[in-house]
Amino acid sequence: MREKIIELLKQEDTKKVSIEDLISILNLSTSEEMKEAMKVVNELVNTAILIENKHHEVTLIENTDYIKGQLDLKEKGFGFVIPVDKDNDDVFIPKTQTKDAMNKDVVLVYLTKKRSGFRREGEIRKVLERKYTYILGTLNFKSGLGIITSDDKTINQSIIVKQENLNNAKKFDKVQAKIINYSNKGRIECIITNVLGNKDDDFVDVLSKIIKYNVDPFFPEDVVAEANKFTTITKDDLKGRRDLRGEKIITIDGDDSKDFDDAVIVKKLDNGNYHLGVHIADVSHYVTKDSILDKEAYDRGTSVYLPGRVVPMLPFALSNGICSLVPHEDRLTISCDMEIDSSGKVIKYEIYPSVIKSFERMTYTNVNKVFMGDEEVNEKYSKLIDMFHEMRTLAKALKKQRDTKGSINFETEEAYIILDEHGKTEDIKLRERGISENIIEEFMLKANQVVAEHVHWLNLPFIYRVHEKPTAEKLGRLLKMSAALGYPVKAKTEISNFELQKLLSSVEGTPAEKGVNLLTLRSMQKAIYSELNLGHYGLAFKYYTHFTSPIRRYPDLIVHRLLREYLFKKENTLDQVAYYADRMPEIAKQTSEMERNAVMLEREVSDMKKAEYLSKYINKEFDGIISSVTSFGLYVSLPNTCEGLVHITEIKDDYYIYDENLMTLVGERKKKVYRVGDNVRIKVLKANVSAGEVDFRIVKAR
């Protein structure tokens, strides 16, 4: 019935009809058929596939001045609706036309004849789907009513809680509240469901952010109980596995790492080539399809790494226990053995199930000390020294091979946030990246590439890690800005990986290095998961997946499961092939969304902790670099990656005009220019810790 109605309304002579005419045209005679038609029409109207006018005529939404989309609401009250139909541009929604819609709600918008700049303008007529069901904030009281100040500053309505719905919450408690009425006389009415603690209690700030992003900091009891069943490896577990327990296979991770899901070994072969073995924890042996553990891992999608804590994808018994490749313990793995020549080319490879016993738990710090000639560390790990140097030589060859293919290497800085015993920011340092980190990165990239290419040629359902080319708009902006900084790129409508390589190489060691790196990185598309092999633009790989971290990423777990189905099992897998062909788009979409959610959570907590750190340095001066320029001011990044806004009203020596094409601020009288990459000295004015926002003032430009 649904398809019949939609098809009817696509016809030119019946694209707008009354309900009565629709029933007549469809030749519906029985009361049951008419009721079914009315039900379907109502569903289509409620989901804005159809629009009903005041004459009770219905038509498809594409035939009207309405669109359906998701609201991106800003703190100042206005917003933009991103249409469901990706072919349409965003629509500007003035502050007075948002109705009672909240950020991320799916809404029905009426397009007016007004325009805001190059965008169409619209009015929200109806909220079709609510995304907010809970609000996080701080409780206060006024006239006997509980009043919640939301952590989300896009919520401008008053948020009230009646006395009977306080759930024993007290003044200044950080609370989670369920919305029970979205429009109670212009206010949102809630019932408090969870009291996190006083807003100033230890670690409550981070916990509130975790809950804000719908990440559960705890596992359900039945999931934990299931994970706790796996404590030892039995003889049955070893069946069909190659025994590598006598090999000098090692893990190399950060000093504070607890879950070790990859281990490596390198040997120089008699023919001059190298043997690289990459051995990954076989999480799929324990987390099987449609099990309770699998459903939990799917819902989470990824582990979340925050200052002072980790919210893992899998319970502790798996992530830090039986799956973790701890030293001197038997562990089940899936291995990718590669023979690689001195130029970095893979000559042959093999993928198979295995069992290992990690020979040593190495840290990046100690391996880097080996290369720096630390005598004490060299003495301690004397049995592995030769292998470390072979690893270094092989990694250099792999890096050179990537470079010849056009792989782009972004020099990004990562902060290491140190908390005190109360969860407050004690210090922020740059996370150092040495030779050992680069070695492991090259080995993991190569294993991911080999596995992806192998399955690609099997022509079977798979999940790829893809990275598409930059859009023409972002590319155009990058070209203009790099030219303005004195580094022109030879390109018009498309830019090759090699040209970007040259650009980044040409600015290395110059004052423009950080700025150009930032601009180039921001011009890139986001890498996502896909059932389609679209290649990886940044790495210049035709085939790429994520195979090496199944403890912390669901796509890697799926890759392991597919390897088991396609390569290790002997029975017919036609049913499984059909299953994954059907499910893979959904899995790719879910894991991409959960990855984005985790990234936003990690970034928000990081910004909060950086603001907390800078709140101790009000009126202090620091040297920094301009990281972004906007119409309302510019952002300055400090050497420890803390960032703050210099609002345009704080630049008082001239009236500055924003050049959108070049992303610069230009003084109207003195023609002074502020651009990305410029060095400046700033003073810290204020810090809003909960919002993660810091305000600077420029005291000296260089």
Side-chain angles (χ1 to χ4, degrees):
M1 182 69 74
R2 187 178 189 274
E3 289 71 24
K4 284 182 180 179
I5 292 172
I6 292 174
E7 193 57 40
L8 172 70
L9 294 171
K10 286 181 179 179
Q11 307 303 316
E12 185 61 32
D13 55 344
T14 56
K15 67 180 184 180
K16 186 198 300 185
V17 297
S18 67
I19 305 296
E20 293 77 8
D21 287 343
L22 186 145
I23 290 172
S24 175
I25 295 168
L26 290 174
N27 196 27
L28 305 179
S29 55
T30 68
S31 60
E32 288 77 13
E33 287 177 329
M34 293 180 190
K35 285 180 183 178
E36 176 65 18
M38 290 294 293
K39 180 182 177 183
V40 171
V41 167
N42 286 334
E43 288 174 355
L44 292 172
V45 168
N46 288 336
T47 54
I49 294 171
L50 301 185
I51 299 295
E52 184 177 6
N53 64 21
K54 61 183 179 181
H55 304 297
H56 302 294
E57 295 170 320
V58 293
T59 187
L60 292 169
I61 190 171
E62 55 258 39
N63 298 327
T64 71
D65 289 325
Y66 288 88
I67 66 157
K68 176 181 176 181
Q70 187 171 53
L71 176 62
D72 179 13
L73 193 63
K74 304 302 179 182
E75 288 186 19
K76 292 186 177 180
F78 64 87
F80 302 91
V81 168
I82 297 90
V84 172
D85 179 359
K86 301 298 182 184
D87 293 334
N88 285 320
D89 295 327
D90 297 353
V91 179
F92 175 73
I93 309 294
K95 183 177 181 178
T96 56
Q97 301 298 336
T98 58
K99 207 173 172 64
D100 62 346
M102 299 170 69
N103 194 30
K104 305 304 177 188
D105 282 350
V106 178
V107 295
L108 179 65
V109 174
Y110 176 71
L111 298 173
T112 65
K113 293 181 180 179
K114 299 177 183 177
R115 297 188 76 83
S116 178
F118 60 88
R119 284 186 172 91
R120 296 172 298 170
E121 196 168 303
E123 304 167 358
I124 293 177
R125 293 291 177 84
K126 184 179 181 182
V127 177
L128 300 171
E129 183 182 337
R130 294 286 187 183
K131 290 297 180 181
Y132 266 91
T133 53
Y134 287 89
I135 287 175
L136 275 163
T138 304
L139 180 66
N140 217 314
F141 291 91
K142 185 178 180 181
S143 303
L145 272 180
I147 306 293
I148 296 175
T149 302
S150 174
D151 289 351
D152 186 342
K153 302 307 176 188
T154 67
I155 301 177
N156 294 309
Q157 302 101 311
S158 295
I159 306 164
I160 63 167
V161 184
K162 293 177 180 177
Q163 285 286 340
E164 62 268 25
N165 294 328
L166 287 171
N167 196 18
N168 297 318
K170 301 177 181 65
K171 186 176 182 178
F172 300 138
D173 274 351
K174 184 72 75 170
V175 298
Q176 182 184 31
K178 185 177 181 179
I179 300 173
I180 56 176
N181 193 333
Y182 287 90
S183 53
N184 181 356
K185 298 178 182 177
R187 304 178 297 184
I188 299 171
E189 186 180 352
C190 293
I191 178 171
I192 291 175
T193 56
N194 193 6
V195 179
L196 306 183
N198 185 278
K199 65 183 180 65
D200 295 321
D201 285 353
D202 295 353
F203 302 100
V204 163
D205 55 350
V206 174
L207 180 60
S208 67
K209 298 291 186 187
I210 291 171
I211 292 173
K212 172 184 173 181
Y213 281 89
N214 293 318
V215 175
D216 194 336
F218 308 106
F219 288 95
E221 289 183 8
D222 53 349
V223 173
V224 173
E226 185 66 22
N228 287 340
K229 292 178 182 178
F230 302 109
T231 56
T232 58
I233 292 173
T234 67
K235 287 184 178 180
D236 285 343
D237 293 328
L238 301 182
K239 288 179 181 177
R241 294 181 180 273
R242 193 173 303 178
D243 192 342
L244 304 177
R245 287 175 287 186
E247 300 283 340
K248 287 183 182 176
I249 297 169
I250 61 170
T251 60
I252 307 178
D253 291 277
D255 292 34
D256 53 354
S257 296
K258 299 291 189 295
D259 53 344
F260 313 128
D261 48 15
D262 58 87
V264 295
I265 185 171
V266 170
K267 298 178 188 177
K268 188 75 178 284
L269 302 175
D270 293 339
N271 62 4
N273 292 340
Y274 292 89
H275 165 88
L276 168 61
V278 175
H279 309 280
I280 309 299
D282 188 1
V283 180
S284 63
H285 178 82
Y286 305 100
V287 184
T288 55
K289 181 166 70 75
D290 294 334
S291 66
I292 188 173
L293 290 169
D294 183 41
K295 289 172 183 174
E296 185 73 16
Y298 174 80
D299 288 342
R300 292 174 179 267
T302 181
S303 296
V304 182
Y305 294 86
L306 305 170
R309 73 179 295 169
V310 177
V311 183
M313 182 180 77
L314 295 168
F316 182 87
L318 293 174
S319 61
N320 290 44
I322 198 71
C323 291
S324 187
L325 307 182
V326 294
H328 318 304
E329 295 285 343
D330 291 355
R331 289 293 182 262
L332 307 182
T333 46
I334 292 181
S335 299
C336 179
D337 281 348
M338 294 158 273
E339 183 177 335
I340 304 172
D341 68 17
S342 58
S343 72
K345 182 181 178 182
V346 176
I347 305 301
K348 60 182 179 180
Y349 65 87
E350 189 179 5
I351 304 165
Y352 57 90
S354 55
V355 56
I356 70 166
K357 181 183 285 188
S358 173
F359 184 79
E360 192 66 71
R361 182 273 203 260
M362 297 298 304
T363 64
Y364 292 129
T365 300
N366 280 335
V367 177
N368 288 334
K369 285 181 178 179
V370 168
F371 296 126
M372 290 187 289
D374 186 298
E375 291 184 8
E376 185 179 342
V377 175
N378 272 268
E379 175 87 22
K380 183 176 180 180
Y381 301 110
S382 58
K383 293 181 181 179
L384 297 170
I385 299 303
D386 288 345
M387 184 167 73
F388 292 146
H389 288 285
E390 286 162 356
M391 284 180 169
R392 184 179 187 178
T393 303
L394 176 57
K396 282 183 179 179
L398 291 171
K399 170 68 164 53
K400 188 175 181 180
Q401 173 74 215
R402 278 202 300 121
D403 289 344
T404 61
K405 301 292 185 183
S407 190
I408 304 166
N409 300 294
F410 296 102
E411 294 299 324
T412 57
E413 294 176 335
E414 184 183 352
Y416 179 60
I417 298 173
I418 302 167
L419 305 182
D420 64 18
E421 60 183 354
H422 301 293
K424 305 302 180 186
T425 311
E426 192 171 76
D427 200 1
I428 299 177
K429 296 181 178 180
L430 281 181
R431 195 179 290 276
E432 294 183 8
R433 186 176 175 82
I435 296 169
S436 63
E437 286 91 342
N438 292 329
I439 287 172
I440 294 302
E441 180 182 32
E442 293 299 333
F443 292 174
M444 298 304 116
L445 287 174
K446 184 52 65 178
N448 286 334
Q449 189 182 18
V450 165
V451 169
E453 182 169 4
H454 183 87
V455 180
H456 170 80
W457 291 113
L458 295 177
N459 197 28
L460 292 168
F462 199 56
I463 188 165
Y464 296 91
R465 181 67 169 179
V466 302
H467 183 224
E468 296 186 80
K469 293 179 181 179
T471 63
E473 181 185 355
K474 287 186 176 181
L475 175 60
R477 177 171 287 189
L478 171 63
L479 296 179
K480 287 175 184 175
M481 287 188 289
S482 61
L485 290 169
Y487 297 93
V489 178
K490 294 179 181 178
K492 289 185 179 180
T493 57
E494 197 166 303
I495 188 169
S496 73
N497 299 62
F498 297 102
E499 287 298 330
L500 283 179
Q501 263 189 353
K502 287 179 189 175
L503 173 62
L504 296 178
S505 178
S506 65
V507 299
E508 192 172 346
T510 72
E513 179 179 10
K514 189 170 183 179
V516 171
N517 264 284
L518 282 167
L519 292 173
T520 308
L521 191 60
R522 287 171 181 172
S523 73
M524 295 292 106
Q525 300 270 56
K526 299 291 185 188
I528 60 170
Y529 297 104
S530 175
E531 73 281 8
L532 304 174
N533 181 28
L534 305 174
H536 197 293
Y537 177 82
L539 292 172
F541 288 169
K542 288 183 179 179
Y543 319 96
Y544 193 62
T545 191
H546 275 168
F547 154 75
T548 55
S549 296
I551 289 177
R552 63 184 180 91
R553 292 189 304 226
Y554 192 78
D556 304 55
L557 172 58
I558 287 293
V559 167
H560 281 226
R561 198 173 286 162
L562 295 176
L563 292 176
R564 174 171 273 106
E565 288 292 338
Y566 301 159
L567 306 185
F568 310 154
K569 282 189 176 180
K570 293 186 178 160
E571 61 264 30
N572 191 294
T573 61
L574 288 177
D575 288 344
Q576 293 302 320
V577 170
Y579 172 86
Y580 284 110
D582 181 58
R583 285 289 313 282
M584 204 56 71
E586 180 188 334
I587 293 171
K589 181 174 181 288
Q590 158 74 2
T591 51
S592 294
E593 286 178 356
M594 296 314 297
E595 179 189 39
R596 281 195 299 274
N597 192 63
V599 167
M600 288 190 294
L601 168 55
E602 289 165 356
R603 187 177 296 143
E604 191 164 320
V605 171
S606 177
D607 287 347
M608 178 178 67
K609 288 301 175 184
K610 288 176 182 179
E612 183 176 73
Y613 177 74
L614 287 177
S615 69
K616 298 183 290 186
Y617 294 95
I618 303 300
N619 293 324
K620 300 293 183 183
E621 294 183 7
F622 299 94
D623 291 323
I625 185 171
I626 296 175
S627 57
S628 183
V629 181
T630 71
S631 60
F632 53 83
L634 49 88
Y635 287 91
V636 175
S637 178
L638 305 185
N640 63 0
T641 75
C642 288
E643 193 172 62
L645 170 67
V646 178
H647 197 272
I648 199 161
T649 55
E650 291 293 339
I651 312 176
K652 301 179 185 294
D653 64 329
D654 204 343
Y655 179 79
Y656 283 85
I657 299 169
Y658 178 58
D659 185 325
E660 187 175 7
N661 286 325
L662 299 180
M663 272 183 69
T664 57
L665 285 174
V666 183
E668 191 174 48
R669 290 181 292 105
K670 300 177 183 178
K671 303 304 178 186
K672 180 173 178 57
V673 179
Y674 287 105
R675 58 169 61 87
V676 172
D678 285 352
N679 291 303
V680 292
R681 187 166 182 82
I682 59 88
K683 177 187 284 188
V684 181
L685 296 183
K686 60 181 179 179
N688 183 335
V689 176
S690 63
E693 296 171 351
V694 182
D695 288 341
F696 292 159
R697 175 187 294 149
I698 293 176
V699 294
K700 186 177 180 182
R702 301 185 182 185

